[in-house]
Amino acid sequence: MIEEKKKKKRVSKRNKTAWRKHSDIRDVEEFLEEQRLEERLGRFDTKKDDELFIVDTQGDGDKEDKPDIKPLSAKQQRRAKLNETPRCFQILLSSSKVEDPNKKRNIVKSFGTKPTALSKLSLKRKIENGSLQKKIELVKKNMKIARERKKKSKVVRETFDKNLWGQDSLEVKGIPETLCEEFISTEAQLHNVLTKQRLRPKPPPPKTVVTRVAIETPHPGVSYNPTFKEHQELLQDVVKHEEKMMKKEAHLNRVTTKMFRKISAKSKENQWIEEMSVGFQPSRPQDESDVSDNEYRAVNAPVQNKKKDHKARRKQKEMILEKERLKRQKIDKKKITDIYKLRKLSTSISTKEKRLESEREKREIKKQAEAKTALPSLNAHKAPVKEPDFVPPEQLSGDLRSLDASTNLLRDRFESLQRRGALAASKVMMKKNRKIKSYFKAGHKVTDQDVEKYMQNLNKKVKISK
């Protein structure tokens, strides 16, 4: 098949785009690509025959005798691979055989690889002192301890002689033995424990078991027919309790409500006008003597710039220096008096410290005594304190049938169970009454009766709020 020669087109090649479009450079690109490939993989004419060819001396018929080599264990295989470059780093290595175009490139070494004169001197001193040898021994010791700990952590537990609920140990919370160290924080210990293994510790029982009576014997003054003395004793106890509660309430009122002053809207407005009008002078009534026929007078009299003479300036300077001298003299005198007061101050400080220390010890003793007989805290709430029961004298009656019940029996038994530790202390949760807004819906027919009903309900709400 004879190829027909295409007729060359005469085109313009006056710019680069036209030149690239109409000129064939495929042969040049193929040559350059072959040259780059040879640079990467190496040229065949430069390689030796041993690298390119293998001399077969055995032939196809003979089977190669494999040497009897013992296979390596998994541990030996892992150790043999330590010297090899990891696969994750192989991509970073250069696979090209292209030579560096810059033959005289400086090799930048990382900091610390080349020993300096100062580092050599410091190393020599460490060897002479023996500190380097101590450091090496310490590293070996730490490595040995780490190996032992690792071996200990791998040992499977065979004996289960620990009582998890008997003592307040870390294993109660599900923390393993490897994390039960002094230098590991509690946050780190709990963070490394699974949520399923986090056990809630059982509350410890009281150190001394105290039997609390289910029904406490009431005061004899609570009786429906008490004696005068017993009734007065109960009355005094109730008065003391009420005074204590009133004092507490007054303190809370003083430190919260009474801290802020209450003012009416009118006084607030007057105060605002007074504050905003500071600096504005009201118009003064002019006297008849001051008013003249055609003379103009300013509100503020003109100020004359009177210069001080040398004598007045000297006197002013002397006065300022005298004030400074007296001030310094007063400070020096106070320092001397403070020095004499040091003994008195030291005695007062020491007596105060002793008093605070004794009070602290008393509080600690009281706290320990209460902790011995205290019930285990089942939750964050405290058990309700029983208030003294009292019947007023006008309600006393010799007959039990006509006596009114002052307390709720169910509530009393419920609080008694909480005080004895049988039930967890609870808190009364009150629901908030939502304020419902009433209005007439647009587009609905509203009669006079609806309006009257709405106004009556509104007046009722206003009376209740008052």
Side-chain angles (χ1 to χ4, degrees):
M1 189 175 178
I2 301 166
E3 292 181 0
E4 293 181 1
K5 289 183 180 180
K6 291 182 180 180
K7 193 176 181 181
K8 287 184 179 181
K9 292 180 180 179
R10 293 192 174 273
V11 289
S12 174
K13 294 182 181 179
R14 58 185 176 183
N15 49 21
K16 284 185 179 180
T17 53
W19 185 271
R20 287 171 186 158
K21 187 178 180 181
H22 299 294
S23 57
D24 189 12
I25 55 168
R26 280 179 292 178
D27 54 347
V28 179
E29 285 181 350
E30 287 174 2
F31 171 73
L32 291 172
E33 189 64 33
E34 287 177 2
Q35 197 173 5
R36 290 192 202 101
L37 187 66
E38 286 177 355
E39 283 179 351
R40 285 200 302 274
L41 305 176
R43 295 180 66 181
F44 290 107
D45 54 357
T46 57
K47 288 186 178 181
K48 296 179 181 179
D49 295 340
D50 298 338
E51 295 178 7
L52 296 172
F53 305 105
I54 298 170
V55 179
D56 188 7
T57 55
Q58 293 181 357
D60 297 333
D62 299 333
K63 288 184 179 179
E64 188 179 355
D65 296 332
K66 292 183 179 178
D68 189 11
I69 300 169
K70 190 178 180 180
L72 298 172
S73 63
K75 190 175 182 181
Q76 289 173 345
Q77 287 177 7
R78 286 198 300 271
R79 287 192 174 180
K81 284 183 179 180
L82 287 174
N83 298 325
E84 297 178 6
T85 308
R87 287 185 181 179
C88 58
F89 296 140
Q90 282 180 0
I91 196 168
L92 301 174
L93 299 174
S94 176
S95 61
S96 175
K97 294 191 177 181
V98 180
E99 293 180 358
D100 193 353
N102 188 3
K103 300 282 185 182
K104 298 179 180 179
R105 191 184 296 279
N106 294 330
I107 299 167
V108 180
K109 293 184 178 179
S110 59
F111 182 76
T113 53
K114 187 178 179 182
T116 58
L118 186 64
S119 65
K120 286 177 184 176
L121 188 65
S122 63
L123 185 66
K124 189 179 178 182
R125 283 176 183 170
K126 282 179 183 177
I127 292 164
E128 289 173 359
N129 297 336
S131 60
L132 187 68
Q133 189 65 26
K134 285 180 183 177
K135 199 173 182 181
I136 292 163
E137 288 174 3
L138 185 66
V139 169
K140 287 180 180 178
K141 188 180 177 182
N142 291 337
M143 286 172 72
K144 190 178 179 182
I145 291 164
R147 280 198 300 271
E148 287 176 358
R149 278 184 185 169
K150 194 174 182 182
K151 193 183 286 184
K152 191 179 177 182
S153 64
K154 288 181 180 179
V155 174
V156 181
R157 196 182 203 181
E158 294 177 356
T159 56
F160 300 94
D161 55 350
K162 284 190 178 181
N163 185 10
L164 293 178
W165 301 107
Q167 55 185 351
D168 190 14
S169 61
L170 293 171
E171 289 189 359
V172 173
K173 299 174 184 177
I175 297 165
E177 290 182 357
T178 52
L179 296 173
C180 299
E181 297 290 341
E182 294 179 0
F183 57 87
I184 298 172
S185 62
T186 53
E187 290 83 0
Q189 286 173 347
L190 292 171
H191 178 74
N192 288 287
V193 176
L194 296 172
T195 51
K196 293 178 181 177
Q197 293 178 347
R198 289 180 189 173
L199 302 173
R200 186 178 179 183
K202 190 178 179 181
K207 293 177 182 178
T208 57
V209 179
V210 179
T211 55
R212 284 170 172 79
V213 185
I215 300 170
E216 296 175 0
T217 53
H219 195 277
V222 186
S223 174
Y224 65 92
N225 191 15
T227 61
F228 179 75
K229 188 180 177 182
E230 290 170 351
H231 190 267
Q232 289 297 315
E233 285 176 2
L234 180 62
L235 181 62
Q236 291 297 324
D237 293 343
V238 171
V239 166
K240 285 179 184 177
H241 178 74
E242 286 295 324
E243 284 177 353
K244 191 177 178 182
M245 296 301 291
M246 285 165 68
K247 191 178 178 182
K248 191 176 181 181
E249 190 177 349
H251 169 71
L252 288 171
N253 191 22
R254 187 176 66 253
V255 297
T256 53
T257 310
K258 288 190 176 179
M259 281 181 71
F260 308 102
R261 189 176 53 168
K262 284 186 177 180
I263 55 172
S264 60
K266 192 175 181 181
S267 59
K268 188 178 179 182
E269 187 180 356
N270 293 335
Q271 189 180 354
W272 180 81
I273 291 165
E274 189 181 346
E275 287 176 357
M276 293 294 106
S277 61
V278 171
F280 295 100
Q281 294 180 354
S283 57
R284 294 180 298 173
Q286 292 182 352
D287 299 334
E288 292 180 0
S289 59
D290 296 342
V291 178
S292 61
D293 297 334
N294 299 321
E295 190 177 356
Y296 170 76
R297 289 182 181 275
V299 178
N300 296 324
V303 180
Q304 293 180 359
N305 189 6
K306 291 182 179 180
K307 300 288 184 182
K308 291 182 179 179
D309 56 350
H310 290 288
K311 186 179 178 181
R313 287 184 182 281
R314 180 172 56 77
K315 290 282 184 184
Q316 188 183 4
K317 193 175 181 181
E318 285 176 0
M319 197 182 292
I320 291 164
L321 290 171
E322 184 65 21
K323 279 183 182 179
E324 287 291 327
R325 188 184 66 77
L326 290 170
K327 192 177 178 182
R328 264 190 263 103
Q329 191 177 354
K330 193 176 180 181
I331 290 164
D332 294 339
K333 192 176 179 182
K334 192 175 181 299
K335 285 179 182 177
I336 292 161
T337 53
D338 288 343
I339 289 165
Y340 288 117
K341 283 182 183 177
L342 280 174
R343 190 178 295 173
K344 191 178 179 182
L345 287 167
S346 63
T347 52
S348 65
I349 289 163
S350 62
T351 51
K352 190 179 179 182
E353 284 179 352
K354 286 177 184 177
R355 182 171 57 80
L356 291 171
E357 187 66 30
S358 64
E359 287 176 1
R360 199 182 296 112
E361 285 176 0
K362 285 178 183 177
R363 284 198 301 270
E364 194 67 31
I365 290 162
K366 189 180 178 182
K367 195 176 179 182
Q368 287 175 3
E370 287 176 356
K372 282 180 181 178
T373 57
L375 289 166
S377 57
L378 301 174
N379 58 5
H381 302 302
K382 289 184 179 180
V385 182
K386 188 177 181 182
E387 293 187 358
D389 195 6
F390 178 71
V391 181
E394 58 270 10
Q395 293 182 10
L396 285 171
S397 62
D399 191 5
L400 187 62
R401 292 177 182 177
S402 60
L403 187 68
D404 295 331
S406 59
T407 56
N408 188 356
L409 184 62
L410 183 62
R411 186 186 183 86
D412 184 48
R413 291 299 88 210
F414 181 69
E415 289 181 355
S416 175
L417 287 169
Q418 289 179 348
R419 281 194 293 274
R420 283 182 279 149
L423 287 175
S426 58
K427 195 176 180 182
V428 180
M429 306 297 288
M430 302 295 287
K431 271 190 176 181
K432 284 187 178 181
N433 295 325
R434 294 180 179 178
K435 292 180 180 179
I436 301 167
K437 189 177 180 182
S438 57
Y439 60 94
F440 295 113
K441 195 171 182 181
H444 282 245
K445 187 178 179 181
V446 180
T447 60
D448 295 336
Q449 293 177 356
D450 295 336
V451 174
E452 286 177 5
K453 192 176 179 182
Y454 175 75
M455 292 304 292
Q456 285 175 4
N457 293 335
L458 191 67
N459 292 329
K460 282 181 184 178
K461 285 179 183 177
V462 170
K463 285 178 182 178
I464 290 163
S465 63
K466 285 180 181 179

